[in-house]
Amino acid sequence: MTRRIETAFAKAKSADRGVLGVFITAGDPDLETSEKILHALADTGVDFIELGMPFSDPMADGPAIQAASLRALKAGMSLQKTLAMAKRFRAKNADIPIILMGYYNPIYIYGNDVFLKDAVDAGVDGLILVDLPPEEDEELCIPAKQAGLSFIRLVTPTTNDKRLPTVLAEANGFVYYVSVTGITGTKSAAADSIDTAYKRISNHTDLPIVTGFGIKTAKQAAEVAKLSDGAVVGSAVVDIIASNLSQDGSGNDDIVRKVAAFVRELANAVSGK
């Protein structure tokens, strides 16, 4: 099993700082620009990258990431191209974990066994599947772990103490705490609720816990990193892409520079833990 995720968290812990995860949608707004963003992130101080698998019905995502998926699909992105993009990144960067995030339907259509083989071959480190509950672990979670991929679980404010052991039974890599009830990129959680949730989840697992959903600024990322083991920022990054498209809707190098600059700001913020 790859050790890149464990190494990233260990490095952050030894430096007494929080980890920073950044989400982008593969192929947004087009393959060329998206790949430039992915490679640019490697020089920003990010600790892991969540690479969204474009899907036409992203039920947990708000308008920003829904639009990102649609831009990517319109530009011809597919799961096969997402894996190829990850593989090209891994050929140039041996250290930063790549975690594929999305929904089960495209994987099911692709074929579970072929997908896991291709994901491992591409240098992917883990999976986050929004819509595959622990009751279906035999479907993909167990095979993924056997193939060497971490299977990262989402925990929400409504995941109670009775449910947590079931959710976390096969989790590895880290735990992703969804800090708000709702979709990505909307409201932000209060600090005391994150603190309470972190302590409650920690009673059920030794895995590190990162917090995501609703983190829009470097200041918020820094606060969240102090309250848990790290922060994940997605919609705020995707918003930069959407706000800087060329007049014809295509990508450009200015998007790459602005995303990289924002992520550097986030990385500097979490380093102050």
Side-chain angles (χ1 to χ4, degrees):
M1 179 174 289
T2 171
R3 302 290 297 175
R4 279 186 283 264
I5 294 175
E6 289 80 357
T7 299
F9 277 88
K11 285 174 63 177
K13 186 175 182 179
S14 67
D16 193 27
R17 64 172 177 83
V19 300
L20 174 66
V22 166
F23 171 95
I24 60 170
T25 298
D28 174 34
D30 53 63
L31 176 58
E32 181 182 357
T33 307
S34 184
E35 191 154 344
K36 286 181 179 178
I37 293 170
L38 182 61
H39 287 284
L41 289 177
D43 296 322
T44 60
V46 69
D47 292 294
F48 64 86
I49 298 170
E50 291 181 12
L51 193 57
M53 298 176 281
F55 182 48
S56 58
D57 186 23
M59 67 186 80
D61 292 308
I65 295 179
Q66 286 184 23
S69 265
L70 292 177
R71 284 193 297 270
L73 292 170
K74 185 178 179 181
M77 202 60 184
S78 65
L79 182 51
Q80 187 176 27
K81 291 180 181 177
T82 299
L83 290 165
M85 182 176 164
K87 189 172 185 175
R88 290 192 291 273
F89 175 81
R90 182 59 70 221
K92 292 187 176 180
N93 188 293
D95 300 322
I96 296 178
I98 290 286
I99 298 161
L100 295 181
M101 184 172 186
Y103 300 83
Y104 182 48
N105 185 280
I107 295 173
Y108 178 80
I109 298 300
Y110 194 96
N112 288 359
D113 292 342
V114 180
F115 168 77
L116 292 175
K117 178 181 179 300
D118 289 353
V120 171
D121 185 53
V124 170
D125 303 282
L127 303 175
I128 302 176
L129 274 296
V130 174
D131 55 350
L132 205 54
E135 285 76 11
E136 305 297 333
D137 275 350
E138 294 294 333
E139 184 78 12
L140 190 66
C141 172
I142 301 299
K145 291 174 65 177
Q146 290 172 343
L149 298 171
S150 294
F151 205 87
I152 295 141
R153 286 292 190 198
L154 298 169
V155 172
T156 75
T158 59
T159 310
N160 60 31
D161 286 337
K162 184 178 179 181
R163 177 69 173 165
L164 270 173
T166 301
V167 172
L168 298 176
E170 295 293 341
N172 62 353
F174 60 89
V175 176
Y176 188 129
Y177 177 58
V178 176
S179 62
V180 297
T181 52
I183 54 178
T184 57
T186 53
K187 58 187 177 182
S188 300
D192 57 348
S193 70
I194 296 173
D195 184 52
T196 300
Y198 180 79
K199 292 172 181 173
R200 187 169 67 85
I201 299 167
S202 296
N203 289 331
H204 295 272
T205 182
D206 292 327
L207 293 171
I209 302 163
V210 303
T211 303
F213 281 45
I215 302 168
K216 301 173 183 175
T217 67
K219 181 181 179 182
Q220 287 175 320
E223 291 171 349
V224 163
K226 290 177 181 175
L227 295 167
S228 61
D229 295 306
V232 181
V233 181
S235 294
V237 175
V238 172
D239 280 341
I240 294 173
I241 297 172
S243 300
N244 292 279
L245 296 171
S246 301
Q247 285 191 341
D248 63 356
S250 62
N252 55 68
D253 288 345
D254 198 36
I255 291 175
V256 180
R257 285 190 290 271
K258 288 183 176 178
V259 167
F262 178 58
V263 175
R264 284 192 191 95
E265 187 182 343
L266 295 172
N268 288 335
V270 302
S271 68
K273 183 175 183 177

